[in-house]
Amino acid sequence: MVSIETDPIRVLVVDDDSQLLRTLSDILHLRGYDPWVASSAREGLAIAAQEPAPAIALVDLKLPDMDGLELIGRLRSISGLTETVILTGNASVDTAVRALREQSHDYLLKPVAPERLLETLSRASERWRRHSVEEALRHTEERSHLLLESITDIVAVLDAEGCVNYSTASFERTLGYALDVEGVRRSCFDVIHDDDLEKFRRFLDNLTTMPGETRSVDLRLRHRDGSWRAMACQVSNLYDRPAIGGFLMTARDVTEAQQLERQFRQAQKMELIGNLAGGIAHDFNNLLTAILGYSELLLSRPDITKESLEDLEEIRRAGQRAAALTRQLLAFSRQQPTEPKFVNIGKMLKDLARMLERLIGEQIVLEIRDADDLQSVFVDPTHLEQVVVNLVVNARDAMENGGTIAVETENVTIAAETAGGPAPGEYVRLSVRDSGTGMTEEVRARVFEPFFTTKEAGKGTGLGLATCYGIVQQANGAIVIESQLLNGTTVHTYWPASSLVLDDHERQAPAAGTSKGNAHILVVDDDIGVRRLASAILRANGYLVTCAANGTDALEHIERGAERLDLVLTDVVLPGINGWDLAAAIRARHPNVRVVLMSGYEKPLTADVQAPTTWGLPLAKPFSQAELTGKIRQALEITTTS
């Protein structure tokens, strides 16, 4: 890069007179110029193409290979800043006109007088310097303008009244407004949220007293479409700088970043609540197993009085309600034992239609819109029905004066992941849309929290949407809510689609009967109530029972091998060795021993067991006497047939 002020000015001389070239080169060199000489137009063009381009070109009109004026035109195309001076032995009006046409501002007559040469070069040098500075300024302005127009942050100059005297194009890109309205500059107060107006006025008043200082403030600005954008702003008081004479504001749109942060915090909170709910539900299920089990044992006694029978029935009904509440907690925490099958949601909705109509009442119209060729989903049918019922009931409760509930299904493809939405893939989308009261943003942010409800006391548990959330998440799907106050709500649930069809030859547990067993069963559970209940039921059905409080005790009993062992009934969650590892250890030592795994909230078998029904069966807590004895007989039948 040439320094205009310090570097010698490069001068190109093109003439076929070698003597003249030497003379001019010597004069230029002695006067501090950087001379370059060429005896032909082609040689001159080659020199001009090198960096840096010549500042001045002295060009003979008559050259052996090209007309001088044509050469001047080509030099100008190489560098628009090069000042050209014509060398001619015969000046005329025609020569002057042609020179001006080619933007050559001067000419020298041959023989060239040194004084005339130096005066002409001085004028050309001044023109070159001026044009070079102007060109540099133009490039700087273009670069600065491009930078300002390219940045995504809003950069604006405000006066003391908040009027926008200048702003980058990002103002319109971010907020959708033109910078002026009918020639009047826009005031930033026109787009600030009402709740932030007084705060910003006080902010500017305070900053006015601090020339040169910069302060930060968060504002909500209204987009032209009516939405609100969260902006992180920095404002500098530049009234002490006359070139600006106002407040310089930079504003960054942080709306999406705040939404992602809220979603992340919500996900963390939901995860913590889910873990807590799952742990509580597990302990409750152990208690409920004992409560319901012993109630059932007492109800089966022939000597029970009528009064005791009624009391026990109340105890059992309360236990069953508690068990239902626990199942909802487990569904929310995504730890509920599942029995997934391939389900056609459209067919399921047809089966549920009559029941749903009875639930919503006569004031509300139910519309079921089922897509053609709907793909199957692999999900627990009971859980799927629970989601539909909960969503429809919620929609009903949002329409006290009646309305329409639309339940829609369709195959969808998600191409890109969005915040809070499903991962890319194929889904069946089940949507429940109502024309009810809708939700505020604050309510919508909390609807999946367990026990959060906007209903009156006694009219809701606050577990409906929390349960739906857990079930959908457990199925590797997603749930998305769209709602506006007074404009209804739509809940979209996404269920991973499958084109497979299951040949459902599931082994069904035999119905409870009166036949007695004679096998030896080891019962392993750290809850003494569950151990005693299971032992009592099994002994009453003729089985030989041994108990262990944990996996270590169970393995020690098996190692002693004092008695033949046919089946192990074990809890999944145990201190020390868990139920999965215990089952694997038992199978390694005694392949013919069958296993039934009791579970309060987790899947009873590990994912790497490909065919659990060949050696182990799940049993969910709380269980009834019939469920326990039926599962034991089912497991023992597998033993005798394998």
Side-chain angles (χ1 to χ4, degrees):
M1 179 179 292
V2 175
S3 172
I4 297 174
E5 300 299 331
T6 60
D7 291 344
I9 294 177
R10 174 176 280 195
V11 179
L12 171 65
V13 183
V14 185
D15 199 298
D16 58 346
D17 186 336
S18 58
Q19 183 62 43
L20 180 62
L21 286 180
R22 285 194 299 273
T23 302
L24 292 179
S25 178
D26 290 342
I27 295 173
L28 293 173
H29 184 73
L30 288 172
R31 292 294 181 166
Y33 291 94
D34 179 18
W36 291 68
V37 297
S39 59
S40 67
R42 296 186 185 280
E43 187 180 354
L45 289 172
I47 293 173
Q50 300 177 24
E51 291 291 341
I56 304 170
L58 304 179
V59 179
D60 186 15
L61 281 180
K62 294 182 179 181
L63 295 169
D65 56 347
M66 188 181 297
D67 181 75
L69 292 180
E70 181 183 351
L71 173 59
I72 290 174
R74 293 196 182 187
L75 290 173
R76 298 288 298 177
S77 65
I78 293 174
S79 172
L81 293 177
T82 299
E83 293 288 328
T84 55
V85 177
I86 292 175
L87 295 174
T88 178
N90 183 22
S92 65
V93 173
D94 180 62
T95 302
V97 170
R98 292 176 65 195
L100 289 172
R101 187 180 297 124
E102 295 299 333
Q103 299 183 16
S104 180
H105 296 95
D106 220 331
Y107 67 91
L108 290 170
L109 290 174
K110 297 180 181 179
V112 179
E115 295 79 5
R116 173 68 175 164
L117 170 65
L118 295 175
E119 290 174 1
T120 302
L121 289 177
S122 178
R123 290 194 299 271
S125 298
E126 286 301 317
R127 290 195 302 270
W128 175 77
R129 288 191 181 94
R130 184 176 69 252
H131 293 156
S132 296
V133 170
E134 291 172 353
E135 183 71 6
L137 287 174
R138 186 178 66 81
H139 280 300
T140 300
E141 289 176 357
E142 287 182 355
R143 186 163 52 247
S144 299
H145 180 74
L146 180 63
L147 288 172
L148 286 173
E149 295 304 300
S150 299
I151 60 175
T152 56
D153 292 356
I154 296 174
V155 179
V157 177
L158 313 179
D159 62 18
E161 303 301 321
C163 183
V164 182
N165 291 331
Y166 165 81
S167 180
T168 54
S170 50
F171 184 95
E172 186 169 356
R173 287 198 302 266
T174 303
L175 299 176
Y177 299 107
L179 290 176
D180 58 70
V181 182
E182 297 181 353
V184 179
R185 304 301 289 176
R186 186 177 298 277
S187 171
C188 66
F189 288 104
D190 294 341
V191 297
I192 295 178
H193 195 284
D194 289 345
D195 294 343
D196 294 343
L197 281 173
E198 188 58 33
K199 175 180 74 172
F200 189 59
R201 286 193 178 98
R202 290 197 306 268
F203 175 85
L204 282 185
D205 289 344
N206 186 44
L207 190 60
T208 301
T209 64
M210 298 182 290
E213 294 294 320
T214 299
R215 294 290 184 268
S216 299
V217 62
D218 294 330
L219 298 172
R220 287 166 290 178
L221 304 184
R222 185 180 62 250
H223 192 278
R224 187 177 182 180
D225 63 11
S227 63
W228 292 98
R229 312 300 295 177
M231 309 297 294
C233 307
Q234 283 196 322
V235 186
S236 301
N237 182 344
L238 299 183
Y239 275 97
D240 58 336
R241 302 185 187 182
I244 297 179
F247 295 108
L248 179 65
M249 169 187 277
T250 60
R252 174 166 297 179
D253 189 346
V254 294
T255 308
E256 293 184 3
Q258 288 187 356
Q259 289 174 346
L260 288 173
E261 184 179 0
R262 284 196 298 268
Q263 289 170 355
F264 176 70
R265 289 179 178 175
Q266 179 73 1
Q268 284 185 316
K269 180 170 65 175
M270 297 295 280
E271 187 69 23
L272 290 172
I273 295 175
N275 290 336
L276 176 63
I280 292 173
H282 170 256
D283 291 338
F284 276 3
N285 273 334
N286 281 336
L287 296 172
L288 291 170
T289 298
I291 292 170
L292 291 173
Y294 281 112
S295 298
E296 189 175 9
L297 286 177
L298 289 172
L299 286 169
S300 64
R301 290 177 57 172
D303 58 343
I304 191 170
T305 64
K306 181 180 179 182
E307 292 78 8
S308 298
L309 180 64
E310 292 175 354
D311 292 342
L312 284 170
E313 285 289 355
E314 284 298 323
I315 292 173
R316 184 169 67 170
R317 279 194 289 270
Q320 289 171 340
R321 288 195 298 271
L325 184 62
T326 304
R327 283 194 295 272
Q328 287 184 299
L329 285 172
L330 289 172
F332 165 74
S333 64
R334 290 173 281 167
Q335 294 173 335
Q336 186 175 11
T338 61
E339 295 183 11
K341 300 177 182 178
F342 286 94
V343 178
N344 183 289
I345 296 182
K347 182 179 183 304
M348 183 209 69
L349 289 176
K350 291 177 183 177
D351 296 339
L352 283 178
R354 181 165 295 184
M355 183 193 75
L356 294 175
E357 289 172 349
R358 288 198 301 268
L359 278 174
I360 62 178
E362 296 180 354
Q363 282 188 306
I364 297 174
V365 176
L366 176 67
E367 298 179 356
I368 295 180
R369 305 165 188 169
D370 193 21
D372 296 331
D373 301 323
L374 205 63
Q375 292 183 288
S376 297
V377 298
F378 192 59
V379 65
D380 188 315
T382 303
H383 292 176
L384 182 57
E385 291 177 3
Q386 188 177 3
V387 169
V388 174
V389 171
N390 284 354
L391 294 181
V392 169
V393 168
N394 267 14
R396 176 202 66 188
D397 294 343
M399 298 185 294
E400 293 183 357
N401 299 318
T404 300
I405 298 176
V407 183
E408 304 172 349
T409 61
E410 61 178 327
N411 298 319
V412 296
T413 300
I414 305 299
E417 190 166 2
T418 57
E426 302 288 330
Y427 294 88
V428 175
R429 182 167 65 191
L430 168 66
S431 304
V432 177
R433 189 188 318 273
D434 67 60
S435 55
T437 56
M439 309 177 194
T440 64
E441 184 63 29
E442 291 76 11
V443 170
R444 191 163 69 90
R446 298 188 61 192
V447 291
F448 295 131
E449 294 180 15
F451 307 112
F452 173 79
T453 180
T454 57
K455 299 175 184 176
E456 297 177 13
K459 291 190 175 181
T461 63
L463 282 173
L465 284 174
T467 300
C468 295
Y469 176 88
I471 290 174
V472 174
Q473 290 291 316
Q474 191 174 23
N476 297 319
I479 182 167
V480 177
I481 293 183
E482 298 175 356
S483 184
Q484 288 185 342
L485 197 60
L486 304 179
N487 285 319
T489 298
T490 301
V491 182
H492 299 292
T493 59
Y494 294 82
W495 306 87
S498 175
S499 58
L500 300 177
V501 178
L502 178 66
D503 292 329
D504 194 5
H505 299 299
E506 294 188 357
R507 187 187 300 273
Q508 300 296 325
T514 58
S515 59
K516 303 292 184 179
N518 58 5
H520 180 201
I521 299 174
L522 174 62
V523 177
V524 187
D525 200 302
D526 60 325
D527 189 287
I528 188 171
V530 175
R531 287 203 310 273
R532 287 177 175 175
L533 173 67
S535 300
I537 293 174
L538 294 174
R539 288 190 179 108
N541 281 268
Y543 295 104
L544 176 63
V545 179
T546 302
C547 293
N550 53 60
T552 302
D553 291 347
L555 289 176
E556 288 178 356
H557 176 81
I558 293 173
E559 286 300 324
R560 288 196 297 268
E563 301 149 327
R564 178 180 63 86
L565 185 64
D566 299 295
L567 184 142
V568 175
L569 172 66
T570 178
D571 192 17
V572 171
V573 179
L574 293 170
I577 303 173
N578 64 47
W580 295 324
D581 293 339
L582 175 61
I586 292 171
R587 288 288 298 172
R589 292 169 172 81
H590 305 284
N592 292 326
V593 173
R594 295 312 180 197
V595 179
V596 174
L597 293 121
M598 298 180 288
S599 173
Y601 64 95
E602 292 184 292
K603 292 182 180 180
L605 293 170
T606 54
D608 60 349
V609 178
Q610 298 299 318
T613 53
T614 63
W615 64 272
L617 294 176
L619 176 63
K621 296 178 181 178
F623 48 78
S624 66
Q625 179 177 348
E627 289 170 337
L628 174 60
T629 55
K631 191 70 70 172
I632 295 297
R633 279 195 297 274
Q634 183 183 354
L636 292 172
E637 282 186 0
I638 295 173
T639 300
T640 59
T641 58
S642 60

